[in-house]
Amino acid sequence: MLGVSLAGRTVVMVGAGAVTARRLRRFVGDGARIRIVAPEAGTEVRALIAEHDLVWIPRRFRAGDLAGAWLVHTATGDARTDARVAALCERRRMLCVNASDGAHGSARLSAEARSGDVVVGVVSDAAVDPSRAARVRDAVAALLDEGRLPIRRRRRTALGRVDLVGGGPGPVDLLTVRGRRLLAEADVVVADRLGPVDVLRELDPDVEIVDVGKRPGAHTVPQEEINRIIVERAQAGKRVVRLKGGDPFVFGRGGEEVAACLAAGIPVEVVPGLTSVVSVPQSAGIPVTHRGTAATLHVINGQGEIASASSRAALADPAVTTVILMGVAALPRLVAEALAAGAAPEQPVAVIERGHTPAQRTTRSTLGAVVEDARRAAVTNPAVIVVGDVARAGLLLPDRQLAGDALR
Ligand code: SAH
């Protein structure tokens, strides 16, 4: 098997039906210069011709149509015509894919799975069997998506790169497929304490793992130091993944890390993650918006300045869902401010600790009682605090069940 670059090279496609449409997409993706010869074109091919401004010669094939071709693809639906095209190519020393059933052209298209810049192709050596090739391809693609193939570069490129990957709330299967692939390609992973830390155990033993996890009250790696670590590793030609809990741009200081990379001229990209703002309440069955209950969402960093007018207004309004991150320590102050701002003491509050983990626990309370309830339950970080009507127990239960107390 030979990997051939078709970029800027002429590919002649004889026939314009469904098979041609499928292959056409691939050749267009490869950057080939495409010439189609067929008296009629199917709707799919017509659409592709219009979309990509392709050359279509609307008549039956003639030998002269092959002029300048590097590769010919014939799928006319008529085995004799395809065989004639293939024979002509053979004489002219052009490679030809013959799509006729059971035919063997001088070239064949592999079923492809891609992951980043790795391409895995599947072909049959003897009799073609497209559906078998597709099944093998799908199995390989699934392994690639799960990050289970060793696709990490062995040869260093001159310039490294940094990917900020949002890891979601914890479980490895709530990390995105793209994030998992980038981890499989990484030379260095700079990880937090929160997020899908179990995935680190699945990486190659020689991947460097730098733990910059912040534990409340314990030693923390200053942000400037984290910025320096990711920039320096990338400058040494390494592929760096900065793995973060939740989403990189929600109280994750991801913006500062991107800015540090850009300032150093390091290529940097951000992969979104499931933020705990939404996914942790969801793990307790709490929708952050709910038709008829709450249509506005307000997010507060409990460690930061809480006393802003908009935050006080949000806390006081039961139709606004207020989600507080990093708020366990600040809870008494927060509640005092909310009550002072006119919030009703009956307003529902839910505290969800360690969402999406086996140790998840939800404490339901009200603004008036939550400080005492949280103290009694010994609530700890990480936890998400939800204030507003959506935090009411039984919100999503049908009326019939709400009427009785059994399921509350
Ligand atoms: N970038 C992250 C937030 C980082 S701030 C995101 O988008 O989710 C860290 C805070 O997130 C924690 O203090 C806690 O409030 C919340 N958090 C993150 N993961 C959590 C989890 N699994 N359960 C409960 N809270 C979580």
Side-chain angles (χ1 to χ4, degrees), residues 169 194 245-247 250-252 275-276 280 325-326 352 354-355 381-384:
L194 291 176
D247 184 274
V250 178
F251 302 144
T275 178
S276 59
V280 169
L325 301 194
M326 299 175 278
I352 308 107
R354 302 174 293 273
N381 273 309
V384 169

Side-chain angles (χ1 to χ4, degrees), residues 115 117-118 147 149-156 160-165 178-191 199-200 202-210 230 233-234 237-243:
S115 182
D117 65 346
V118 174
L149 292 181
I151 54 173
R152 197 151 66 83
R153 270 192 178 277
R154 297 287 141 179
R155 186 178 292 182
R156 292 261 172 280
R161 55 174 292 119
V162 173
D163 288 283
L164 266 62
V165 173
R178 187 185 300 179
R180 185 63 186 84
R181 167 171 67 76
L182 289 167
L183 280 166
E185 292 174 3
D187 302 309
V188 183
V189 177
V190 181
V199 78
L200 301 175
E202 297 174 8
L203 303 180
D204 266 7
D206 53 344
V207 174
E208 184 192 3
I209 295 173
V210 185
I230 59 177
R233 299 292 196 286
K238 302 205 169 153
R239 294 195 60 139
V240 181
V241 164
R242 171 75 177 103
L243 179 65

Side-chain angles (χ1 to χ4, degrees), residues 168-171 192-195 216 244-253 273-280 283 301 303 324-328 352-357 380-385:
D192 283 342
R193 178 182 58 109
L194 291 176
K244 305 171 82 71
D247 184 274
F249 281 179
V250 178
F251 302 144
R253 304 193 71 171
L274 296 179
T275 178
S276 59
V277 172
V278 177
S279 66
V280 169
S283 71
N301 175 352
Q303 284 184 339
I324 303 155
L325 301 194
M326 299 175 278
V328 172
I352 308 107
E353 299 165 83
R354 302 174 293 273
H356 289 286
T357 74
T380 56
N381 273 309
V384 169
I385 301 162

Side-chain angles (χ1 to χ4, degrees), residues 59 73 91-92 120 123 129 143 185 192 195 231 258 268-269 316 346 352 376 380 404:
R59 57 158 169 72
H73 181 278
R91 256 180 273 137
R92 299 200 182 172
V120 180
V123 292
D129 188 346
L143 290 172
E185 292 174 3
D192 283 342
V231 165
V258 168
V268 57
E269 276 179 36
E346 305 78 49
I352 308 107
R376 220 174 319 121
T380 56

